[in-house]
Amino acid sequence: MPEVYLVVGGSGLLGRHIAKQLHDRGDNVSVLDIVQRYDDIPFHQGDICDEATVLSVFKKCGTTCVIHCASPQAKSAAPELFWKVNVGGTNTLISTSIQCGVNKFVYTSSSGVVFDGSDLQNIDESHPYTRRALDVYMDTKIQAEKIVLSANGKDGLLTVVLRPSGIFGPGDRQLIAGLYNTYMTGRTHIQIGNNKNLTDWTAVVNVADAHILAADRLSAPVSPDTPVAGQIFFITNDDPWYFWDFTNGIWSRLDAYFPGKRQKRKVTIIPRWLGMCLGAIFEFEAWIRGRKPSMTRFTITFSCAARWHNISKAKRALGYTPHVSVSNEMDELVKWWMSLDESERA
Ligand code: NAD
């Protein structure tokens, strides 16, 4: 019987690419999301925290494979919403999957579940969860992973967890928006930290590939020694970049659209310790004024730490290869971003 896919969070950056790739290869695929952004793939509006809606969508679609990549955006929501959606919503999706006899469940987690602010270099899936999650988003991703993994094998449900790192590409409105703002306000010469920290950035098309491979391989592993069900996989481009080389890659592509805008300026390097002090001051000032800080200790930690992962397991068990390079995806991201109206980029 051909698989019937439901991409949960399929209006988002990653979910859209997964749904589109499945649609393009001729699969039966629908999307469940709280917002509709596209109309070329059957869409069901609903909140994953609402059990009745989830059950009705599963039944209506006849879902056999759930790909769950819904989450509030990492920095955007109140702590309660992360617990409600990432933990409560994932629980609902899992229990409904079991109730409806779904065969496969692929969950998008994050490489951040092992990150505590210190350098992580070439680590694989044997690395333990951090005991000090940097924020509630990561805390709830850890809990959601545990829910998904512990459901593996229940009433025939096969589950797998993927941990992408630094997803970017056309459709992204988080990373590029911040970098564009820095570019337009002439702050690209300010560098925090020594830029000796390698960081994984992953083309969204590659992450989508990995999800589809994981779904395909859940019930048909390459060999008994490389199971997929009940497993965790880091997913990256296998090509870590120095943090500020990556941001400069985006900014230099923007130069082509704004010739002469950037003057040649000496790079001002702010050491990490000073960045942390400034972050604390900005957070305090923002708290007093009741607005969002432009820089936080969290963002400083992210831009100064090494974070790159070993993806041998995904290569072996999923047959995963990052086909699209970081440079090519940067081209696509900037091309897409600049094709938007100025008002959408603001
Ligand atoms: P995104 O914000 O673009 O997409 C998430 C989608 O989930 C959105 O369309 C949103 O409307 C939907 N959603 C949120 N709450 C929902 C709810 N209650 N019910 C139904 N739908 C809901 O995010 P993304 O960047 O595509 O990330 C996809 C997944 O990958 C997330 O789980 C995220 O935690 C994970 N991830 C992202 C990154 C990254 O760099 N963007 C890195 C690692 C992991």
Side-chain angles (χ1 to χ4, degrees):
M1 283 282 284
E3 214 71 72
V4 180
Y5 296 90
L6 183 66
V7 181
V8 181
S11 299
L13 167 65
L14 173 61
R16 168 62 182 170
H17 281 267
I18 295 172
K20 189 80 176 54
Q21 285 188 22
L22 286 168
H23 181 72
D24 289 350
R25 76 174 190 180
D27 283 303
N28 179 342
V29 55
S30 304
V31 164
L32 168 64
D33 201 300
I34 41 175
V35 290
Q36 180 167 18
R37 296 199 181 87
Y38 309 92
D39 57 10
D40 53 350
I41 292 174
F43 176 79
H44 304 270
Q45 187 147 27
D47 187 330
I48 58 169
C49 306
D50 176 351
E51 284 185 45
T53 304
V54 172
L55 181 61
S56 134
V57 172
F58 276 39
K59 284 191 169 159
K60 205 182 292 172
C61 298
T63 305
T64 63
C65 176
V66 174
I67 302 184
H68 168 25
C69 44
S71 169
Q73 288 192 347
K75 298 248 111 304
S76 66
E80 314 79 65
L81 188 66
F82 287 108
W83 287 103
K84 188 166 174 256
V85 176
N86 288 349
V87 180
T90 301
N91 242 325
T92 300
L93 289 172
I94 285 285
S95 58
T96 310
S97 296
I98 293 170
Q99 187 183 340
C100 294
V102 166
N103 306 323
K104 300 174 174 179
F105 194 104
V106 182
Y107 177 60
T108 319
S109 181
S110 165
S111 62
V113 297
V114 295
F115 182 57
D116 67 359
S118 42
D119 289 341
L120 293 176
Q121 312 202 52
N122 199 25
I123 59 153
D124 67 15
E125 292 80 358
S126 63
H127 200 88
Y129 288 120
T130 173
R131 283 204 233 136
R132 211 164 42 94
L134 285 193
D135 61 6
V136 63
Y137 165 74
M138 290 308 172
D139 230 343
T140 57
K141 295 300 274 187
I142 293 174
Q143 299 314 318
E145 275 199 5
K146 291 180 179 171
I147 292 167
V148 172
L149 292 171
S150 66
N152 182 50
K154 276 196 189 150
D155 290 347
L157 181 67
L158 301 176
T159 69
V160 59
V161 167
L162 302 191
R163 289 177 180 167
S165 184
I167 306 174
F168 76 104
D172 162 51
R173 288 169 192 271
Q174 296 185 74
L175 176 79
I176 183 75
L179 293 177
Y180 182 72
N181 181 267
T182 305
Y183 182 91
M184 296 309 275
T185 50
R187 291 177 289 130
T188 59
H189 62 291
I190 300 170
Q191 174 189 307
I192 297 160
N194 59 15
N195 197 26
K196 292 198 172 138
N197 50 316
L198 284 171
T199 314
D200 275 323
W201 302 95
T202 316
V204 64
V205 278
N206 294 333
V207 183
D209 275 350
H211 281 69
I212 295 170
L213 286 165
D216 290 348
R217 292 262 172 244
L218 258 174
S219 54
V222 178
S223 78
D225 305 336
T226 54
V228 174
Q231 299 294 310
I232 296 173
F233 298 94
F234 281 118
I235 302 297
T236 75
N237 245 66
D238 208 16
D239 176 23
W241 282 46
Y242 292 109
F243 186 89
W244 296 100
D245 290 3
F246 179 84
T247 60
N248 274 309
I250 299 283
W251 291 327
S252 59
R253 283 163 175 80
L254 286 171
D255 285 339
Y257 293 87
F258 301 102
K261 181 166 175 62
R262 279 210 297 173
Q263 311 298 325
K264 269 213 171 346
R265 288 174 82 171
K266 192 168 174 298
V267 176
T268 304
I269 300 176
I270 299 176
R272 184 183 185 279
W273 66 266
L274 182 55
M276 290 300 267
C277 296
L278 292 173
I281 293 167
F282 280 30
E283 284 170 47
F284 183 65
E285 191 219 0
W287 177 70
I288 300 260
R289 292 173 187 251
R291 55 182 190 207
K292 269 188 156 184
S294 54
M295 190 205 288
T296 63
R297 284 166 295 173
F298 181 92
T299 52
I300 303 296
T301 303
F302 253 88
S303 46
C304 294
R307 282 180 298 122
W308 57 284
H309 312 81
N310 184 313
I311 58 162
S312 303
K313 185 175 168 187
K315 288 180 177 172
R316 269 195 319 271
L318 306 180
Y320 168 69
T321 312
H323 287 294
V324 174
S325 71
V326 172
S327 294
N328 282 351
E329 194 74 338
M330 279 185 185
D331 291 342
E332 294 304 314
L333 169 59
V334 173
K335 207 190 312 165
W336 168 79
W337 181 251
M338 293 308 299
S339 74
L340 300 179
D341 287 344
E342 182 61 46
S343 59
E344 290 184 85
R345 282 187 254 130

